[in-house]
Amino acid sequence: HLAFYFHSEALQNTMVRYNWAGKLGGSLCLDQPDCFFDYVMPVEANLGINKANYYLKRKIRQKIDITDDFYTHSQLDISWQNTSTKESKTEGTYSNYFRLYLPIGTELLRLVENGREVDFAVVDEAVKPNIKTTDKTDSSKLEIIKTTEAGKVNYGLLIRVSPGETKTYSFYYQKPEKIEFEKNGLYKLLAQKQLGTDNDEYFLEINFPDNLRILRTPSGSVTKNNTVEYKGLLDMDRVFIYSYSKK
């Protein structure tokens, strides 16, 4: 898990070009017509004074539905299992300030915690609200902080996972623009890995509409009718490229 920074602009540009600078990934559709770019990057920060990260098991599941009129409806499920057994300097509650980085303009529509709908309000970072967690039992809405950074939007909230507990959060979101193409098109998804994480299970499902014919899918994926599935690890930045045509 290495990232490089150089004061030399030329050297730093080389690191960026080879994806060694730890930057948020840019579009993969530059100068490509009929190409639709999608992006996701989950980012975590342990705010607890412990080493709970060591005891975490994490699973990521992403589902993308492409509608008949070529809009995308997405769902990202993340499960955290805290296998620690007690509160101590090394073990204990995982106090995770979680941020979900998405393409600019993406709107967060729903949030579900362990099957329970969460009532939330998206607040711009400039307002600087008090961060509340879904552990609260009062009637106030959960405040999710929205930030724009490096051409991405991110939604941030504090998630606590106690010793021996498993929590699953489901984020439902939608990009504002539709997939535009004449006859043949490309869909490119960059699933970016956070520095320091390792071997997280990652499952991706993309459902194409019946009015599209799938022409090419990523290596290692499985196609069933108009559904393409991939199962592996998010142990590196993953790029998924699909090509299709109108029927």
Side-chain angles (χ1 to χ4, degrees), residues 3-6 8-26 192 237:
F4 297 90
Y5 175 78
F6 292 94
S8 166
E9 184 177 352
L11 282 175
Q12 188 61 20
N13 287 339
T14 300
M15 298 300 105
V16 171
R17 186 165 63 251
Y18 287 100
N19 200 25
W20 294 341
K23 294 187 65 175
L24 296 177
Q192 193 163 5
D237 293 350

Side-chain angles (χ1 to χ4, degrees), residues 55-202:
Y55 299 92
L56 276 183
K57 293 183 179 179
R58 189 184 295 102
K59 294 181 180 180
I60 303 170
R61 180 185 178 93
Q62 187 172 10
K63 179 173 176 281
I64 301 169
D65 294 325
I66 302 176
T67 65
D68 290 338
D69 52 355
F70 308 134
Y71 285 94
T72 57
H73 296 170
S74 302
Q75 174 184 345
L76 187 78
D77 303 331
I78 304 187
S79 296
W80 294 272
Q81 180 185 3
N82 187 345
T83 64
S84 65
T85 59
K86 60 185 178 181
E87 297 286 354
S88 69
K89 292 182 178 180
T90 55
E91 302 183 51
T93 298
Y94 182 50
S95 297
N96 167 24
Y97 185 67
F98 176 79
R99 288 167 292 165
L100 180 60
Y101 282 83
L102 300 167
I104 195 76
T106 301
E107 181 181 0
L108 181 64
L109 303 176
R110 293 175 58 207
L111 177 64
V112 175
E113 177 203 356
N114 285 351
R116 178 180 64 88
E117 200 82 24
V118 177
D119 193 15
F120 67 91
V122 174
V123 183
D124 194 274
E125 182 188 39
V127 180
K128 297 182 179 178
N130 294 321
I131 299 175
K132 299 176 182 178
T133 77
T134 49
D135 297 329
K136 299 289 184 181
T137 57
D138 57 33
S139 59
S140 62
K141 291 185 178 182
L142 168 72
E143 291 176 335
I144 295 181
I145 300 178
K146 177 183 177 182
T147 306
T148 301
E149 176 186 350
K152 303 290 186 296
V153 63
N154 77 71
Y155 294 94
L157 68 157
L158 185 61
I159 298 171
R160 291 195 175 105
V161 188
S162 301
E165 185 179 26
T166 298
K167 279 190 176 180
T168 300
Y169 278 74
S170 299
F171 300 82
Y172 296 81
Y173 57 92
Q174 183 176 358
K175 286 190 67 176
E177 65 268 22
K178 67 186 295 184
I179 298 174
E180 300 279 4
F181 64 103
E182 291 296 327
K183 184 179 179 182
N184 296 334
L186 288 173
Y187 182 101
K188 295 187 177 184
L189 169 66
L190 171 58
Q192 193 163 5
K193 170 190 175 296
Q194 180 183 3
L195 288 172
T197 60
D198 192 24
N199 294 334
D200 293 333
E201 292 185 25
Y202 178 71

